[in-house]
Amino acid sequence: MPDSSPKSLAVVVPVYNESQGLDALHARLRAVLETLPYDWQIILVDDGSPDRSWDKIREIAGRDPRVKGLMLSRNFGKEMALTAGVELCPDVDAVICIDADLQHPPELIPTLTAKWEEGYEIVATVREAVADYSPMKKLGSKAFYWVMTRFSDLDIPPSSTDFRLLDRKVVRTLLQFTERTRMFRGLIDWMGFKKIYIPFVAPARDTGQVGYSFKKLFNLAVNSFTSFSLLPLRFTGYLGLTIIAVSLLFLILMMTGNVLWGANYTPMAFFMVFNTFLIGIVLCGLGMVSLYIGHIHTEVVQRPLYIIRERAGTWE
């Protein structure tokens, strides 16, 4: 006989300094999920928040048996918080990842599940606009996606987000990935599978502060680029060839000037031109190679991706 039990759905929410908005998030998620014909649960992952986020998660899990909480031992970053939540759902039919700041509207979840029911294994979302994005952040976002699309092994639409639905087979495939330096959505897009993108407009943040500082965004961009592209290593070679060509041109011009125009460049001038470009080549090469060696070191030491300090709610 066919299984008549409802499909299962888990919503994974990375949380960092979101204590003020968790009640509103829970209320909106529950209102949406109760309209769906699924056996659902909400997993709130506290990524080492210094505020009262974990106390609020425990409070919500205490009054709602469908809410579970994870507290990581420190701030491992959003990518690892998402990984921790998703890895605990290998037997769920589908997992939805959503941010805690309500800039990913929960009301879009029925659209994601409808596309999933049509047979799509990854239902991702793309921001058409963000109410509180500064011009600088918009420019940085466009530049990041332009570089990633053209110079890496990924095909990421501009302004794609971590707000996405993953089928069980996608989640189980993700469990096979072991890299420590990761871009969560990059790994998902790299997998392939049958995928569709849903556009949405992100509202302004109501409470709390932006969790991603410029430093964190910059580190994410560097890690993502070096994880999915060999361009920096190739660029070093191209840069070396360019510098060699330019230095030779300068040397030819200087020698020609000495012979034909009486420019009288000294031997020291010739040495300085050659030495400056040579140092530039060496430093550029060392810098690029060190990024990849750093990634290799991180993988080889085999530290845990994350450490769970405490749990809240009912876990089987």
Side-chain angles (χ1 to χ4, degrees):
M1 294 180 62
D3 188 2
S4 59
S5 59
K7 293 181 179 179
S8 54
L9 181 69
V11 179
V12 174
V13 188
V15 176
Y16 184 75
N17 283 357
E18 298 288 353
S19 59
Q20 297 178 4
L22 287 178
D23 281 325
L25 171 71
H26 172 243
R28 286 177 61 179
L29 279 175
R30 187 177 180 90
V32 171
L33 294 172
E34 286 181 337
T35 66
L36 301 175
Y38 305 118
D39 182 11
W40 55 268
Q41 59 180 304
I42 300 171
I43 300 176
L44 303 173
V45 184
D46 178 23
D47 186 26
S49 302
D51 69 349
R52 295 186 63 257
S53 292
W54 179 243
D55 293 335
K56 179 58 69 173
I57 290 173
R58 292 178 61 186
E59 176 189 323
I60 294 173
R63 67 174 187 262
D64 187 344
R66 293 193 175 189
V67 175
K68 301 177 180 179
L70 290 176
M71 181 186 187
L72 303 187
S73 61
R74 64 171 177 82
N75 178 235
F76 285 88
K78 180 183 177 183
E79 313 303 311
M80 293 309 177
L82 283 170
T83 300
V86 171
E87 285 189 346
L88 293 174
C89 306
D91 298 321
V92 177
D93 291 309
V95 175
I96 294 177
C97 301
I98 187 171
D99 284 356
D101 57 12
L102 292 175
Q103 290 192 298
H104 295 166
E107 291 73 20
L108 196 61
I109 290 178
T111 303
L112 305 187
T113 56
K115 292 298 181 183
W116 174 51
E117 294 288 0
E118 291 177 12
Y120 291 99
E121 294 152 330
I122 299 174
V123 186
T125 62
V126 177
R127 288 187 302 259
E128 289 186 325
V130 184
D132 57 356
Y133 257 27
S134 65
M136 185 60 68
K137 197 167 185 179
K138 290 179 182 178
L139 180 62
S141 177
K142 289 181 179 179
F144 169 76
Y145 285 106
W146 185 86
V147 171
M148 287 297 294
T149 300
R150 284 160 178 77
F151 301 113
S152 74
D153 298 329
L154 297 176
D155 182 16
I156 306 179
S159 301
S160 65
T161 75
D162 289 316
F163 184 21
R164 51 186 61 197
L165 180 148
L166 311 176
D167 184 80
R168 178 192 296 181
K169 63 184 68 173
V170 179
V171 172
R172 290 184 172 178
T173 302
L174 182 64
L175 297 181
Q176 302 174 30
F177 289 75
T178 60
E179 56 256 58
R180 271 68 182 159
T181 304
R182 60 175 57 193
M183 177 190 182
F184 189 83
R185 80 191 75 157
L187 293 179
I188 302 300
D189 287 333
W190 181 88
M191 290 182 195
F193 288 105
K194 188 176 181 182
K195 178 168 38 182
I196 190 173
Y197 290 93
I198 307 298
F200 75 101
V201 176
R205 169 187 282 267
D206 289 332
T207 60
Q209 298 178 348
V210 177
Y212 261 96
S213 63
F214 176 79
K215 180 181 178 182
K216 288 184 177 180
L217 290 172
F218 180 77
N219 289 338
L220 175 63
V222 172
N223 290 336
S224 302
F225 193 56
T226 53
S227 294
F228 292 100
S229 176
L230 294 177
L231 178 67
L233 293 179
R234 295 189 183 122
F235 177 75
T236 303
Y238 300 150
L239 181 62
L241 291 174
T242 302
I243 292 176
I244 289 172
V246 172
S247 63
L248 286 175
L249 177 61
F250 268 97
L251 289 172
I252 291 172
L253 290 175
M254 291 169 71
M255 288 187 293
T256 303
N258 274 1
V259 174
L260 299 181
W261 307 314
N264 195 28
Y265 291 106
T266 64
M268 181 60 70
F270 283 96
F271 175 77
M272 289 298 294
V273 170
F274 177 76
N275 193 55
T276 300
F277 286 121
L278 186 61
I279 290 175
I281 293 174
V282 173
L283 291 178
C284 240
L286 288 175
M288 290 298 101
V289 172
S290 66
L291 291 175
Y292 286 89
I293 293 176
H295 284 309
I296 293 171
H297 169 74
T298 301
E299 299 302 324
V300 169
V301 296
Q302 290 289 305
R303 294 192 185 105
L305 295 179
Y306 53 85
I307 301 172
I308 297 175
R309 178 183 176 187
E310 191 175 341
R311 301 188 183 211
T314 303
W315 292 84
E316 297 178 358

